[in-house]
Amino acid sequence: MPMRLELRGVLKALAAPLLPSAAMLVAILVAILGSMPAVAAAAFDLTQLTQLLASKRAGEATFVETREVSVLDRTVTTSGRLSFEAPDTFVRENLKPLRERVAVVGNTLTMSRGERSRSVALDSVPEAAVIIEAIRGTLTGNRDALQRVFDTSVAGNAEHWTLDLVPREARLRTQVSSVRVTGRRAEVREMQVVMPDGDRSTMTIEPIAAAATSGSGPAR
Amino acid sequence: MAHSFLSFLPSGGVPRRALVVWLLALLAAVFVTVRSTYVADLSAFLPRAPSAGQAVLLDQLRSGVAARLVLIGIEGGTPAARSAASLEWGQRLRESGLFESVNNGDNRQYAALGQFLFEHRYLLSPAVDAQRFTADGLREAIAETVSLLGSPAGAAVKPVVLRDPTGETVRMAEAMLPAQAPRSDGGVWVSRDADRAVLVATTRADGSDLDGQQRALEFLRTSFAPHTAQGLKLLVSGAGTFAVASRAQIKHEVERLAIAGSVAIVLLMGAAFGSLRALAIAVLPVGTGVLAGIATVSLGFGQVHGITLGFGTTLIGEAVDYAIYYLIQAHVPRSAGRSAGDSHRDGQRGADRWIVRNWPTVRLGLWTSLCGFVALVFSGFPGLAQLGVFSVAGLIAAALATRYVLPVLAPDGAPGLGLRRRLGAWTGRAAAFAPTLRWPLALLALAALVALLWLPSPWRGDLQSLSPIGAQALKVDAQLRRDVGATEAGTLIAVSADSEAAVLTLAEQAGARLDRLVVDGALEGYDTPARLLPSPATQAARRASLPDADALRRRIAEATVDGPIKAERLAPFIADVQAARQQVTLTRASLQGTPLATAVDAMLVPGRAGGSPWRVLLALQTGDRGIEVDRLRATLVGVPGVQVVQIGSELGALYAHYLREAKWQAGLGALAVCVLLGLYLRSWRRLVGVVQPIAAAVLIVLAALALSGAALGILHLVGFLLVVAIGSNYALFFDQVRHGAAGAGEDSDTLASLALANLTIVISFALLAISSIPALYAIGEVVAPGTLLCLLLSAAFVRGPRRERRGHDANGPGAV
């Protein structure tokens, strides 16, 4: 009997220092287990969103855009096609009611209407660049470009996400108040632009089930 | 001195008359010199234009808008600090009144311009025509404008859409949008490559008004001082900057050269003669020559250029040679028991002997030198012509002063001896030794010839090589230009006509042709004043296409059915169109005082009735590819008064033209020298003997320069001509010495004078060679080694008469 007692005593003595470690171990396990759902639920953040978007290297879509402008007596609706190609190409072609084309490749913005065509350097017209960067940056999943120009916030998850963009520079906020982009998985579905005087434009985008190969947009 | 002066009366009044004449001439020269204007800008070294077209070009380069541009960069600090500095300082520059415009991306300054353009939109917009104001046209135009609204691009149009529903503002903006605009960040222009804010200013002062340019640049620097304290750095570049800097450089160099040249030669002469009196006498022909040169240039050209004065230091070196020849060669050695007075009683004054024996050689040397400089006078560069006239007048004056004045003041040459004895002994030994080097030197000359034949032609110089601006400054300039998009105008279309209306009409026609090239992508764009100031015919046509109030109201009603803007809201539009129908045609005169004036004047050069025609300059933006001149010409066929000017190649062709001419002139000059020598020497053998060393010297120097990789140009050619002209003097003297019957003492005197004379020339041209001004060091680096070689080679090659093998030492004149 005394031997068992001593054994218990020895075990207790041995176990005493272990007890805190065990507690730590348990605590760690709980933390790991506990945080896993947290990881799953937490920040579907800009990094993940842009990675998701960038996985689609090229694409084509049709769009319908409605604009509410205070000075006009009714909303204006345009429709057409748009296409993009990583890393920095974006083309928007209005088909109705007027044929117009805006193409951005790198730093060059080309606007064509009928036979008239003008090219300018995008960085020399920052007011126009705001919208272009919002669209192009989102479609091509360019995180650096988006973060450079906008304060970003992402909500939702990979299935259904919302990206809010607000221009960082006060000067540019006088042109565009905010842009809200919503989409599903790697596809952008809607873009809403709100301007400081209350005018807004909403573009609904319907991706065309494109061929897997990247590259073919409308001719540049 | 006055006493000895008076004791020369027996020779008649000639000496005294000579002195009087000389003093009067000097006085006149001083008078003219003191009242001359001195200039220092480089435009004198732009060639005279042989054709009217090139005259336009050079005129634009000198005083057009390109010459008034100042490119500015702000570096250092944070981007925010740079933007703030650009905005605040840019505004201060505008308010200073020294600049016509200051562009830095800050568009607040354009409010007035925008207002003006808006008010005259129906005269200025390229889209206004009769079709525009039909119902269909109105509908289409309104639809286009509306498609812009609701996007940031339409933000500027929204406030005025009810007054301008057809979007003329937009069409004007489209037409005026530059193909190459700088990057905009923080509301100001910034560089794409570097951390730098950039600005472009246009000075009010003309490009050729260097004082005005300097004032503007100084204001730039002083007004930036508070920002420098914050840690920002200022970069300034541009044509005006270069001109002001090179002027300052030329002035500085000229002063340095004049002082250094004078000091060096005074020291040399002091050492050589050891007597202040001799020095003072030696200075007289030099002073005479320089004053005569300046006065002649001033009278002939109306002003004296700084580079001419810089070149004048070489005149010091040459003019002092005459004095050296006289003072040394006219020296009568004092043997025991004889005094100067005894010599006179013999009737053998040193001066008289010199005049009989040596003056003809010196005079011939003068003629050959003149052959060299006269060729300069006929070159196509006003600057070089000045150098030629300066040197010709100076040399003649110096020679005449030596011939007529010095014998009066120093009838026996230099009284002191200084180092001359030793110099004479040494040169005598060297001259005796030199002919042994004949074969090695001949081989050297041959090697030079071979090298020249084998190497590619070194005559690659161009106008750029005349500019004293250093490589670093040019690099900064190129960077700022790239940042701002102000590329050097490479290709221009010049349109000329007799009146403002005619030239604008032709400009519009040319513009229509160029539009085709832009659409094809061959051209990025072009600048034309017709966008800002259409021709009266065009303005009238646009005005005529504006309908009256009732017709317009009807068409608007038709056009806006189912449209986004109701007809009733467009009353302001109707009112504005009616006002436009009454507007007076815009002319250049009516634009003065408006913000458009500067922009139009940059491209439209008014003519004078009965004089020069009106000109329009269309600058082309060709991008990196450039465009072929032939294609341009083909596109513009049929438009009268049009000329395609490629600035770079035009200037290059001009330079090549003058280089060819200069080669002919140099050849003729050298030939004239040979002819003169031949006439004097009257012997083929002696002529060949004299010409040989000079030709060899030229070959060796040419080969050395070619091997060193230097690009030779017109000024080097001038230098070679001078080597021939001056070097021939040495060859002549050696010829005289080795053919003469003079005694050893006289020979050593002659040789000493040669050595001393050569030394002064080499020193003065060597000073040029280390100058930082290309025009001067080009000449210096050829003439200094060239004349030295001429002396050495003359000593080696010039032979005495064939008799020498019999009686004389085969190596030429005896040693001392």
Side-chain angles (χ1 to χ4, degrees):
Chain A
M1 227 43 86
M3 203 147 135
R4 238 188 330 197
L5 271 174
E6 275 148 23
L7 199 59
R8 211 180 305 140
V10 167
L11 279 171
K12 241 192 222 160
L14 281 173
L18 280 175
L19 273 172
S21 326
M24 269 199 308
L25 200 60
V26 168
I28 290 168
L29 275 172
V30 164
I32 291 174
L33 290 168
S35 67
M36 276 202 299
V39 165
F44 173 67
D45 61 3
L46 187 65
T47 313
Q48 294 189 313
L49 173 58
T50 48
Q51 272 172 1
L52 189 57
L53 289 166
S55 65
K56 197 160 174 239
R57 294 194 64 73
E60 259 183 62
T62 56
F63 70 87
V64 174
E65 186 188 32
T66 55
R67 289 190 190 154
E68 291 164 31
V69 182
S70 56
V71 76
L72 297 178
D73 300 314
R74 60 177 176 75
T75 57
V76 180
T77 308
T78 54
S79 62
R81 287 157 65 98
L82 55 87
S83 71
F84 71 93
E85 187 180 327
D88 54 11
T89 303
F90 163 72
V91 179
R92 165 186 165 150
E93 231 180 304
N94 281 11
L95 295 170
K96 289 200 184 65
L98 282 176
R99 283 200 74 114
E100 284 173 339
R101 188 167 183 274
V102 171
V104 191
V105 181
N107 193 33
T108 311
L109 168 69
T110 311
M111 301 166 287
S112 329
R113 187 177 271 174
E115 285 162 1
R116 293 189 341 251
S117 174
R118 297 290 314 184
S119 281
V120 292
L122 193 62
D123 56 13
S124 68
V125 280
E127 295 79 10
V130 169
I131 285 289
I132 300 286
E133 292 293 2
I135 302 178
R136 183 172 68 171
T138 314
L139 287 173
T140 56
N142 189 336
R143 193 191 76 157
D144 295 325
L146 288 173
Q147 283 202 307
R148 193 185 63 230
V149 183
F150 302 100
D151 286 321
T152 61
S153 57
V154 180
N157 55 27
E159 278 301 315
H160 193 94
W161 50 263
T162 307
L163 171 65
D164 280 308
L165 302 170
V166 176
R168 286 183 192 268
E169 254 190 69
R171 200 182 308 265
L172 297 178
R173 282 201 293 276
T174 62
Q175 302 285 326
V176 170
S177 287
S178 67
V179 180
R180 166 169 286 200
V181 189
T182 48
R184 290 198 217 116
R185 287 190 289 274
E187 290 169 353
V188 174
R189 287 313 191 106
E190 190 183 85
M191 238 183 75
Q192 243 195 36
V193 180
V194 179
M195 270 152 285
D197 49 10
D199 294 346
R200 64 178 59 226
S201 93
T202 309
M203 184 191 282
T204 319
I205 300 170
E206 197 59 55
I208 300 174
T213 53
S214 64
S216 50
R220 276 178 209 176
Chain B
M1 192 146 147
H3 176 70
S4 36
F5 174 115
L6 288 170
S7 70
F8 295 150
L9 279 175
S11 318
V14 172
R16 183 184 285 180
R17 266 213 301 277
L19 268 186
V20 168
V21 165
W22 173 68
L23 282 173
L24 284 177
L26 263 189
L27 222 62
V30 167
F31 180 69
V32 173
T33 308
V34 160
R35 302 186 66 219
S36 307
T37 25
Y38 296 91
V39 297
D41 67 277
L42 269 187
S43 64
F45 284 84
L46 284 176
R48 259 195 295 265
S51 79
Q54 282 157 336
V56 172
L57 175 62
L58 293 177
D59 191 55
Q60 275 302 299
L61 287 179
R62 261 193 283 265
S63 44
V65 172
R68 293 190 282 144
L69 271 184
V70 184
L71 303 170
I72 305 169
I74 301 178
E75 287 183 345
T78 62
R82 292 196 292 268
S83 302
S86 173
L87 286 170
E88 191 260 330
W89 181 58
Q91 190 56 29
R92 263 191 295 142
L93 289 181
R94 277 176 213 123
E95 287 160 6
S96 73
L98 289 172
F99 300 95
E100 260 181 20
S101 68
V102 179
N103 295 313
N104 61 350
D106 180 4
N107 291 330
R108 293 173 300 184
Q109 55 171 328
Y110 292 129
L113 177 61
Q115 188 62 25
F116 184 88
L117 290 174
F118 184 72
E119 278 163 16
H120 293 86
R121 62 191 182 278
Y122 294 109
L123 293 180
L124 295 175
S125 164
V128 173
D129 57 16
Q131 202 277 334
R132 186 86 156 166
F133 286 90
T134 60
D136 288 330
L138 287 170
R139 187 179 306 123
E140 212 178 291
I142 294 176
E144 269 186 30
T145 311
V146 162
S147 76
L148 275 180
L149 295 178
S151 77
V157 182
K158 213 164 78 147
V160 294
V161 73
L162 294 178
R163 293 176 65 186
D164 180 23
T166 53
E168 306 311 328
T169 318
V170 175
R171 294 302 294 270
M172 284 194 299
E174 260 179 32
M176 291 176 203
L177 211 55
Q180 286 277 45
R183 176 166 158 223
S184 176
D185 197 17
V188 295
W189 284 349
V190 298
S191 163
R192 290 191 171 101
D193 306 316
D195 292 328
R196 183 159 55 217
V198 290
L199 303 90
V200 178
T202 310
T203 60
R204 250 182 236 285
D206 211 37
S208 52
D209 171 14
L210 289 189
D211 289 326
Q213 293 272 332
Q214 193 165 359
R215 268 195 300 274
L217 291 170
E218 269 160 17
F219 178 80
L220 264 183
R221 296 207 167 89
T222 50
S223 63
F224 193 75
H227 298 285
T228 318
Q230 292 168 354
L232 297 175
K233 197 175 89 151
L234 184 65
L235 292 175
V236 182
S237 184
T241 317
F242 289 161
V244 168
S246 62
R247 180 173 78 162
Q249 199 176 358
I250 289 175
K251 276 215 287 234
H252 175 74
E253 279 290 315
V254 166
E255 279 164 14
R256 191 183 67 87
L257 281 175
I259 294 174
S262 310
V263 165
I265 290 188
V266 161
L267 285 178
L268 192 61
M269 303 291 282
F273 293 112
S275 139
L276 273 181
R277 183 156 172 254
L279 189 59
I281 292 177
V283 162
L284 290 176
V286 175
T288 313
V290 170
L291 284 173
I294 297 177
T296 314
V297 166
S298 177
L299 289 173
F301 292 85
Q303 60 191 19
V304 183
H305 197 281
I307 292 189
T308 308
L309 291 181
F311 196 71
T313 54
T314 63
L315 187 62
I316 296 178
E318 293 152 28
V320 85
D321 290 351
Y322 297 130
I324 291 174
Y325 292 143
Y326 175 76
L327 289 172
I328 294 183
Q329 293 165 359
H331 176 66
V332 174
R334 286 186 196 212
S335 30
R338 293 168 67 100
S339 71
D342 294 335
S343 311
H344 295 164
R345 268 183 257 113
D346 285 350
Q348 265 284 347
R349 283 188 328 161
D352 293 329
R353 218 182 50 233
W354 186 81
I355 289 173
V356 166
R357 226 192 303 251
N358 300 80
W359 168 245
T361 314
V362 171
R363 187 180 52 199
L364 183 62
L366 172 68
W367 279 115
T368 57
S369 298
L370 287 182
C371 280
F373 287 111
V374 161
L376 274 182
V377 176
F378 295 110
S379 74
F381 291 73
L384 286 185
Q386 267 201 18
L387 295 188
V389 167
F390 181 87
S391 301
V392 164
L395 282 179
I396 292 178
L400 288 177
T402 311
R403 167 69 179 81
Y404 290 106
V405 176
L406 290 196
V408 174
L409 296 176
D412 288 315
L417 278 180
L419 294 171
R420 258 187 311 138
R421 270 281 165 252
R422 250 170 290 183
L423 188 62
W426 190 85
T427 44
R429 274 198 292 276
F433 174 71
T436 57
L437 295 174
R438 206 172 277 169
W439 281 113
L441 288 172
L443 279 175
L444 185 62
L446 205 58
L449 185 60
V450 166
L452 281 172
L453 290 174
W454 177 64
L455 288 168
S457 167
W459 297 100
R460 291 184 309 266
D462 57 14
L463 274 178
Q464 272 307 101
S465 54
L466 287 177
S467 163
I469 307 298
Q472 179 61 17
L474 286 175
K475 204 171 82 159
V476 167
D477 187 69
Q479 280 173 353
L480 285 176
R481 273 182 196 278
R482 209 178 40 239
D483 289 342
V484 158
T487 46
E488 298 270 10
T491 315
L492 281 182
I493 311 278
V495 184
S496 322
D498 292 326
S499 68
E500 182 183 333
V503 81
L504 285 171
T505 312
L506 288 178
E508 284 172 349
Q509 287 178 18
R513 306 286 183 96
L514 291 176
D515 281 336
R516 289 189 228 151
L517 288 177
V518 173
V519 166
D520 285 339
L523 208 56
E524 273 185 16
Y526 63 95
D527 292 330
T528 170
R531 283 188 197 121
L532 301 173
L533 179 61
S535 68
T538 309
Q539 292 185 47
R542 287 178 185 160
R543 217 178 10 239
S545 59
L546 301 174
D548 65 33
D550 292 326
L552 189 55
R553 205 168 287 124
R554 268 198 317 277
R555 296 179 197 174
I556 287 176
E558 208 185 308
T560 55
V561 166
D562 287 337
I565 306 182
K566 292 211 200 26
E568 302 80 67
R569 302 181 67 197
L570 290 176
F573 169 51
I574 299 178
D576 274 1
V577 167
Q578 297 318 302
R581 293 182 73 211
Q582 312 300 324
Q583 271 174 349
V584 175
T585 303
L586 295 170
T587 63
R588 181 177 172 270
S590 66
L591 286 184
Q592 295 304 310
T594 70
L596 276 184
T598 319
V600 169
D601 280 343
M603 297 178 277
L604 174 63
V605 180
R608 271 184 297 275
S612 49
W614 286 73
R615 285 205 178 93
V616 158
L617 297 167
L618 307 176
L620 302 181
Q621 287 113 35
T622 56
D624 292 327
R625 294 154 307 181
I627 185 170
E628 294 138 21
V629 174
D630 291 330
R631 186 167 179 191
L632 270 176
R633 287 208 180 102
T635 316
L636 292 167
V637 152
V639 182
V642 154
Q643 198 187 357
V644 178
V645 178
Q646 265 196 322
I647 297 187
S649 65
E650 280 290 337
L651 288 179
L654 206 54
Y655 190 89
H657 166 77
Y658 283 117
L659 185 60
R660 265 195 313 276
E661 259 195 25
K663 283 186 182 167
W664 272 108
Q665 284 159 357
L668 283 176
L671 194 62
V673 168
C674 291
V675 165
L676 273 177
L677 291 175
L679 285 176
Y680 176 74
L681 296 170
R682 296 179 195 284
S683 149
W684 282 111
R685 194 178 156 274
R686 282 171 79 177
L687 181 61
V688 168
V690 159
V691 164
Q692 242 179 357
I694 303 174
V698 167
L699 278 177
I700 294 173
V701 173
L702 193 52
L705 283 174
L707 281 171
S708 75
L712 303 182
I714 292 184
L715 291 166
H716 295 90
L717 201 53
V718 167
F720 281 117
L721 189 55
L722 294 182
V723 167
V724 167
I726 297 172
S728 58
N729 293 1
Y730 307 130
L732 267 182
F733 269 116
F734 268 105
D735 178 86
Q736 182 194 40
V737 157
R738 288 178 179 168
H739 277 85
E746 296 201 46
D747 287 339
S748 81
D749 271 340
T750 309
L751 289 173
S753 65
L754 273 185
L756 202 54
N758 185 254
L759 209 51
T760 60
I761 293 240
V762 170
I763 287 177
S764 48
F765 277 97
L767 281 175
L768 280 194
I770 57 178
S771 155
S772 57
I773 297 175
L776 293 178
Y777 73 60
I779 297 185
E781 71 186 359
V782 167
V783 178
T787 46
L788 191 58
L789 276 175
C790 270
L791 184 67
L792 291 174
L793 291 170
S794 300
F797 281 101
V798 174
R799 296 172 200 259
R802 277 186 232 269
R803 287 182 271 113
E804 78 184 7
R805 297 206 192 104
R806 263 188 278 131
H808 294 253
D809 185 2
N811 284 334
V816 177

